[in-house]
Amino acid sequence: MRPCPCWSPAPPAPELVWNLCLFLFSLNIFISLFTELQEIVFVIQSQSNSFHSKRAEDLERNILKQAEELGKELPRVLLIHQMDRHDGAWTILPLMQDFSASYGRNSSWIFFCEEDTRIQIVKLLETLRRFDKSKEWFLGKALYDEESTIIHHYAFAENPTVFKFPDFAAGWALSIPLVNKLANRLKSEPLKSDFTIDLKHEIALYIWKKGNGPHLTPVPEFCTDDLNSYKAVHCATMFSNFLPVCGDPVKKEDIFVAVKTCRKFHRDRIPIVKQTWEGEAALVEYYSDYAETSIPTIDLGVPNTERGHCGKTFAILERFLNHSSSKTPWLVIVDDDTLISIFRLRKLLSCYDPNEPVFLGERYGYGLGTGGYSYITGGGGMVFSREAIQKLLASKCQCYSNDAPDDMVLGMCFSGLGIPITHCPLFHQARPMDYPKDYLAHQIPISFHKHWNVDPVKVYFTWLAPKMEDSFTEKKQRRIREDL
């Protein structure tokens, strides 16, 4: 009898083996992404104003929606304005000890972004995987100064291009080992800087620690390209780089513009205003220490001072509230060497409720490491809702002298009232050349300041004057809003 041959299975088809391997590889990536997602803490640099808080909450929902598609557990998403136990939370560094205590053992990265940053979660996870999370990393899109600037106290004057700092709009990340190190350092070395002027530069300086800490590592996937740009394909982050418009622009007659000037600048600065932005405004008054009918200027009865101008500013606020015939909802106070686009400001203000106490502009800080306050720097323009002025003047908070710094006194007063400063990076305290080109490239600016070593008329028509593309962008944004 012939023995029965042993049975052996037929070899699997090559395509079956390939598909199985591909499935296991994809499953491994999915599990890896799911695990890594739980190790990232997302921090949105949000603000408490209703317009900004809604935008931050929209971004939070978008992050969680993307994450939900990768697994059951969702990552932690924090909004700075909800963490704000003190006025300095927006400066980030005072929060390092909280981050370390809460996430120092069970997370790998703290990822920061602005409310208009757009994130592709899978691409972000793939990008962060390139970096050893057990080491100290400071990651971001690198900005640098082409020439030394007053904003950065002329740092690295011999070659300012050597120092890199992150563009917050593209998002930036700190590894947990670096967060823990910063937290320990802050225990023994409390923050001492009096002024916060350019936060992104100052954070990079603090982390760098005069060469003893890490430099910023540029990450090409952290981008500020527009969502619809062909360049955005390789990006983990992108940026909505258009002027916010929430409806029809505010009417010209709803904005009152007050220009602070003095007799010695009537001949050289006021003509620049008249050649540039004055025609965009319906209601403009010039306040001086001398009444000159040809301009005309109004003498408020406050002596001119070389600096500060607090007395003059508070007199303007009183006049706006108590002596203007109409109930104009918005007041803008500018210097006589401020260049501003009222055309764009009208669009921006469509996003704010004048029935709220709004104090808007470029935010600086004073003594925030030791319980100080934030303020709107005056040169870029200060925007007030009538409601904010009513609350301010009713509080009886006032200047301690006519030459006190008006913007800082206002910040102190609003801080005491519990009214937060609303920051908008489209207002600028300095000239265009004082900012990195790549930073301005994704902005539609509203103001610049100072005539020093520039042709101010050329600056206005290059950077701020109404253009055809402004109208095109507005129509495009309206279509986007209608599609949402």
Side-chain angles (χ1 to χ4, degrees):
M1 198 170 168
R2 193 176 291 178
C4 199
C6 295
W7 178 84
S8 62
E15 59 270 19
L16 181 63
V17 174
W18 171 253
N19 289 336
L20 180 61
C21 290
L22 190 61
F23 170 76
L24 292 173
F25 179 72
S26 300
L27 181 63
N28 184 53
I29 289 179
F30 178 84
I31 293 171
S32 176
L33 290 177
F34 174 74
T35 304
E36 291 172 15
L37 184 58
Q38 314 311 310
E39 297 176 4
I40 301 178
V41 179
F42 292 87
V43 179
I44 301 174
Q45 294 171 240
S46 58
Q47 302 187 71
S48 60
N49 173 271
S50 60
F51 165 62
H52 291 281
S53 62
K54 181 183 181 302
R55 287 163 79 91
E57 288 160 7
D58 288 345
L59 176 56
E60 178 185 19
R61 280 190 290 272
N62 180 269
I63 293 170
L64 295 176
K65 181 181 177 183
Q66 290 187 62
E68 196 172 10
E69 298 171 0
L70 295 175
K72 296 179 181 178
E73 292 187 40
L74 301 178
R76 286 148 296 196
V77 182
L78 309 177
L79 276 60
I80 285 284
H81 80 275
Q82 294 177 351
M83 303 171 63
D84 199 355
R85 295 195 298 273
H86 51 82
D87 198 31
W90 64 271
T91 62
I92 307 293
L93 288 174
L95 298 175
M96 286 299 155
Q97 288 174 281
D98 290 344
F99 290 145
S100 179
S102 300
Y103 310 110
R105 299 188 178 203
N106 56 5
S107 300
S108 299
W109 299 95
I110 307 285
F111 180 81
F112 300 87
C113 61
E114 295 190 341
E115 63 192 33
D116 290 321
T117 308
R118 294 296 171 260
I119 305 166
Q120 297 191 77
I121 295 291
V122 172
K123 188 72 174 176
L124 175 63
L125 293 170
E126 291 172 354
T127 301
L128 292 178
R129 193 188 297 133
R130 297 205 312 267
F131 301 93
D132 184 347
K133 61 188 179 184
S134 68
K135 296 183 178 179
E136 295 175 8
W137 290 105
F138 175 27
L139 309 177
K141 177 188 173 182
L143 298 174
Y144 60 88
D145 293 326
E146 293 190 4
E147 55 186 61
S148 59
T149 171
I150 189 172
I151 297 172
H152 301 148
H153 307 291
Y154 300 105
F156 306 94
E158 293 183 2
N159 183 10
T161 64
V162 300
F163 186 73
K164 308 296 191 295
F165 49 99
D167 190 334
F168 286 170
W172 53 290
L174 302 178
S175 64
I176 286 298
L178 179 55
V179 170
N180 291 337
K181 183 176 182 179
L182 293 172
N184 288 330
R185 180 180 164 195
L186 285 162
K187 288 178 185 176
S188 57
E189 299 177 32
L191 294 168
K192 298 175 182 176
S193 177
D194 287 338
F195 288 93
T196 300
I197 294 175
D198 185 2
L199 181 62
K200 54 190 179 294
H201 190 271
E202 288 152 22
I203 284 178
L205 275 178
Y206 188 84
I207 292 173
W208 178 63
K209 200 182 177 184
K210 297 183 178 178
N212 295 314
H215 289 269
L216 176 72
T217 298
V219 177
E221 291 85 358
F222 289 2
C223 311
T224 51
D225 296 303
D226 187 74
L227 299 171
N228 300 314
S229 168
Y230 72 92
K231 299 178 183 177
V233 176
H234 77 285
C235 295
T237 64
M238 292 155 288
F239 188 70
S240 299
N241 53 1
F242 51 73
L243 182 71
V245 179
C246 303
D248 292 332
V250 167
K251 295 177 182 177
K252 279 187 178 184
E253 295 75 19
D254 285 344
I255 301 175
F256 190 99
V257 187
V259 183
K260 293 185 301 181
T261 188
C262 62
R263 186 173 187 176
K264 70 177 180 178
F265 292 134
H266 286 187
R267 290 290 166 264
D268 56 350
R269 292 188 180 178
I270 300 304
I272 300 298
V273 176
K274 291 182 176 293
Q275 289 177 61
T276 55
W277 59 264
E278 186 196 63
E280 294 181 41
L283 304 171
V284 185
E285 285 188 349
Y286 297 87
Y287 299 107
S288 179
D289 55 341
Y290 176 73
E292 187 168 335
T293 55
S294 61
I295 294 176
T297 60
I298 296 168
D299 182 0
L300 293 169
V302 179
N304 187 53
T305 56
E306 288 298 315
R307 60 184 64 83
H309 312 295
C310 193
K312 182 182 290 183
T313 295
F314 270 72
I316 292 170
L317 296 173
E318 292 267 7
R319 178 181 174 87
F320 173 79
L321 197 61
N322 300 321
H323 301 293
S324 56
S325 55
S326 65
K327 294 298 180 183
T328 312
W330 297 103
L331 170 68
V332 183
I333 299 181
V334 295
D335 292 347
D336 52 12
D337 58 348
T338 300
L339 298 167
I340 190 166
S341 171
I342 302 299
F343 177 77
R344 293 177 186 167
L345 179 62
R346 288 171 53 212
K347 295 181 181 182
L348 178 69
L349 289 181
S350 71
C351 297
Y352 296 92
D353 183 353
N355 295 314
E356 293 181 11
V358 178
F359 184 31
L360 173 71
E362 183 180 13
R363 177 179 55 193
Y364 280 11
Y366 176 73
L368 290 173
T370 54
Y373 53 88
S374 304
Y375 63 98
I376 297 299
T377 180
M382 299 183 288
V383 182
F384 306 77
S385 65
R386 179 174 287 272
E387 177 69 13
I389 297 172
Q390 287 174 335
K391 289 183 179 298
L392 172 70
L393 297 184
S395 74
K396 304 301 181 182
C397 189
Q398 57 189 352
C399 306
Y400 51 84
S401 66
N402 279 338
D403 65 351
D406 56 355
D407 48 7
M408 296 181 72
V409 171
L410 286 167
M412 199 164 28
C413 290
F414 280 117
S415 177
L417 287 168
I419 296 173
I421 300 302
T422 301
H423 172 64
C424 178
L426 306 180
F427 295 80
H428 301 88
Q429 172 67 15
R431 309 163 302 165
M433 60 280 302
D434 292 314
Y435 302 89
K437 289 180 180 177
D438 211 14
Y439 174 70
L440 293 180
H442 57 75
Q443 286 195 351
I444 300 177
I446 285 175
S447 71
F448 290 104
H449 180 224
K450 294 190 182 300
H451 297 173
W452 180 67
N453 274 4
V454 295
D455 177 347
V457 175
K458 184 177 180 181
V459 168
Y460 171 79
F461 282 102
T462 300
W463 290 95
L464 300 169
K467 299 182 179 72
M468 287 295 292
E469 54 262 37
D470 287 326
S471 298
F472 173 78
T473 301
E474 183 181 346
K475 291 176 183 176
K476 178 181 175 183
Q477 289 173 241
R478 188 176 289 118
R479 286 198 303 271
I480 291 171
R481 290 198 309 274
E482 290 170 353
D483 292 340
L484 292 176

